[in-house]
Amino acid sequence: MPTVLVIDDNPSVATALEVLFSLHDIDTLRATSPEDGLATLAGNAVDLVVQDMNFSADTTSGEEGQALFGEIRTRFPDLPVILLTAWTHLDAAVQLAKAGAADYLAKPWDDRRLIATVENLIELSQANRELQRRVQRERKQRSELEKNYDLRGVVWNDAATERVLTLACQVARADVPILITGPNGAGKERIAEIIQANSSVKNGPMVTLNCGALPSELIEAELFGADAGAYTGASKAREGKFEAADGGTLFLDEIGNLPPAGQMKLLRVLETGRFERLGSNRERQVKVRVISATNADLPGMIRAGSFREDLFYRLNVIELRLPPLSERPGDILPLALHFLGAEKSLDDGARAGLLAHTWPGNVRELKNVMQRASLLSNQAMIRAGDLGLPLATTTIAASNDIEPDRDGIERALAKAGGVVAQAAAELGLSRQALYRRMDRLGIARP
């Protein structure tokens, strides 16, 4: 149950407020002086303060209320304060409202307006506190992640990315194959590097093979090596990636492009650690940690008969799904500034344009956009027009008042767990303004 502290030296005022609040399931604490009020705040969890402007007899200047408000603001900067004032103190109350007071009400107050104000402020205060706790929790988790693991200088600020990084670090030392899924350009290879850097074989080699960059007839030779004469052009024996990665990690990118014969041999290596080079009957033994990645729908390929189901389950002991950049909006600006470098920065229009773009090419596209903007702009400040993004996006980005659409509002509500006040804060709107937009768009109120 929320709690309101009433600081007023008039017992009848405190009693009237206590009765009013109790009818709306709000607890009330009382204090009759500024000193008593500050002591109560120090020892109790309070959601909101309602304070008078005068406490001494025959005093009407409001100076005591101003001093109390200033002290509350200093000690409890996020605590909402409603001022109760006579009309003679209205100017002072207005000035305090400009200094951060949540609202001011003249005596005698209107019960309905007071309750509406109190309930709105309590909801917003609780949402803000939960947001602060979440931010502090995320900062602590990030600090521990950076302290305990080698993250290879990865840049991120989105909770979705942090979940992937956390899981990657947790499973890094487990001697099992890992499959990283996600769209092209999202950063799957960087996740593989982080796994290797925190694994038990971090001092061994890390070898990479892009299975989609070679003709299918050469992939087996690349993986397992070949003896001289094993195929046209093989004039001498060569070792494959498995031999090169012995004692370390082999990263197989675009694993969905591996041909059927290669899939069968890969399955055997994963199960036994044994293989033969092409054109050889001599069996070789290796100890290799395999990390694979794909943007393909492997379950769909299994149904179509183009990918082995047993290999899929062998590769997929642990799956890490790296979302597209559009699902990690918190990463966009940190990555953009990282790619841009220290010598240039982004104005508000450019920042809005970057956030409005859908990034079908993911992090790779963002990197290219920032490098191009840096090269082509002669100014230290990058503007929306310098980004070369589609006109519709930059037009929106140039505006200082981006109107949230239905999808944006629904995403904000989902992120806030249905707390309207928190979603409104995320969107830069008041609670009532968000309600109006929800009603206009036909979005049900939580």
Side-chain angles (χ1 to χ4, degrees):
M1 187 177 293
T3 301
V4 172
L5 171 61
V6 176
I7 309 177
D8 198 304
D9 61 339
N10 188 333
S12 62
V13 169
T15 298
L17 289 174
E18 184 174 10
V19 171
L20 176 63
F21 293 153
S22 68
L23 295 175
H24 294 81
D25 296 322
I26 299 172
D27 281 340
T28 305
L29 299 176
R30 295 191 188 190
T32 57
S33 68
E35 296 76 16
D36 187 19
L38 292 171
T40 302
L41 284 174
N44 296 272
V46 173
D47 296 287
L48 181 142
V49 171
V50 178
Q51 69 152 87
D52 193 13
M53 294 293 288
N54 293 292
F55 296 91
S56 300
D58 301 323
T59 299
T60 59
S61 66
E63 292 179 357
E64 292 172 309
Q66 295 180 46
L68 173 59
F69 172 77
E71 194 64 31
I72 293 174
R73 261 291 154 272
T74 300
R75 300 188 190 184
F76 310 95
D78 299 319
L79 185 64
V81 178
I82 296 177
L83 307 173
L84 287 180
T85 175
W87 287 106
T88 52
H89 308 136
L90 191 56
D91 289 343
V94 170
Q95 293 303 315
L96 291 181
K98 291 180 179 179
D103 204 349
Y104 55 89
L105 298 173
K107 294 179 180 179
W109 58 83
D110 179 272
D111 284 353
R112 285 180 298 179
R113 179 188 169 186
L114 176 58
I115 283 297
T117 300
V118 167
E119 289 180 337
N120 286 340
L121 289 173
I122 286 175
E123 182 181 356
L124 183 59
S125 176
Q126 291 175 337
N128 286 338
R129 281 205 302 274
E130 177 57 33
L131 181 60
Q132 290 173 0
R133 284 194 292 267
R134 189 180 72 192
V135 169
Q136 291 173 354
R137 185 168 60 250
E138 289 175 352
R139 285 177 179 170
K140 181 180 179 181
Q141 291 171 347
R142 177 174 184 137
S143 177
E144 291 177 350
L145 199 61
E146 292 175 328
K147 176 183 177 182
N148 296 329
Y149 298 99
D150 180 358
L151 300 180
R152 313 303 289 171
V154 68
V155 175
W156 92 94
N157 195 45
D158 197 278
T161 307
E162 183 163 313
R163 287 193 290 271
V164 176
L165 292 174
T166 300
L167 182 56
C169 292
Q170 287 176 344
V171 302
R173 294 190 66 83
D175 187 19
V176 295
I178 294 176
L179 176 64
I180 307 171
T181 59
N184 282 336
K188 297 189 293 295
E189 186 168 356
R190 179 55 63 90
I191 299 299
E193 292 173 358
I194 291 171
I195 294 171
Q196 193 274 341
N198 295 280
S199 70
S200 58
V201 293
K202 62 183 178 181
N203 295 322
M206 180 170 181
V207 178
T208 298
L209 175 64
N210 187 334
C211 299
L214 293 170
S216 59
E217 62 270 16
L218 294 181
I219 290 180
E220 286 187 65
E222 286 291 326
L223 277 174
F224 309 112
D227 278 356
Y231 60 91
T232 303
S235 58
K236 58 181 181 180
R238 54 175 296 190
E239 73 172 13
K241 300 299 184 183
F242 267 100
E243 289 179 81
D246 194 14
T249 301
L250 176 60
F251 176 53
L252 300 177
D253 201 4
E254 303 299 345
I255 190 68
N257 288 0
L258 195 63
Q263 293 179 33
M264 183 177 64
K265 286 190 175 182
L266 176 58
L267 178 63
R268 181 167 181 257
V269 178
L270 292 175
E271 291 176 341
T272 67
R274 299 175 182 276
F275 67 96
E276 297 93 20
R277 288 180 177 178
L278 290 182
S280 172
N281 292 321
R282 185 166 72 88
E283 197 171 62
R284 301 172 188 270
Q285 178 83 42
V286 291
K287 179 65 174 176
V288 175
R289 168 74 172 282
V290 174
I291 303 172
S292 53
T294 185
N295 67 337
D297 177 14
L298 294 186
M301 294 178 66
I302 292 170
R303 290 192 295 271
S306 58
F307 199 87
R308 293 180 64 103
E309 186 173 16
D310 48 3
L311 176 59
F312 172 74
Y313 289 118
R314 195 70 178 84
L315 293 171
N316 194 29
V317 176
I318 299 291
E319 180 178 353
L320 298 177
R321 179 186 175 271
L322 184 59
L325 188 57
S326 60
E327 295 180 14
R328 298 147 46 197
D331 290 345
I332 293 174
L333 293 181
L335 283 168
L337 292 170
H338 172 72
F339 295 141
L340 195 59
E343 297 181 358
K344 295 192 177 184
S345 57
L346 299 164
D347 73 358
D348 290 343
R351 290 171 181 264
L354 291 169
L355 293 173
H357 188 54
T358 56
W359 301 109
N362 296 293
V363 178
R364 187 176 297 147
E365 180 189 3
L366 175 60
K367 183 177 181 179
N368 290 342
V369 166
M370 299 318 300
Q371 289 178 336
R372 182 176 63 244
S374 179
L375 288 172
L376 297 181
S377 175
N378 296 323
Q379 305 297 321
M381 183 71 72
I382 301 296
R383 295 174 172 79
D386 300 324
L387 299 174
L389 296 176
L391 180 61
T393 297
T394 55
T395 300
I396 294 173
S399 170
N400 290 325
D401 184 19
I402 300 176
E403 178 69 17
D405 58 11
R406 182 186 185 90
D407 289 342
I409 290 174
E410 289 178 341
R411 282 197 302 270
L413 287 168
K415 183 177 180 181
V419 179
V420 174
Q422 184 175 329
E426 288 275 340
L427 295 168
L429 300 172
S430 69
R431 182 169 168 269
Q432 293 304 320
L434 179 55
Y435 273 136
R436 287 194 297 271
R437 285 160 175 80
M438 291 169 63
D439 292 341
R440 187 175 69 246
L441 295 169
I443 301 173
R445 297 190 181 194

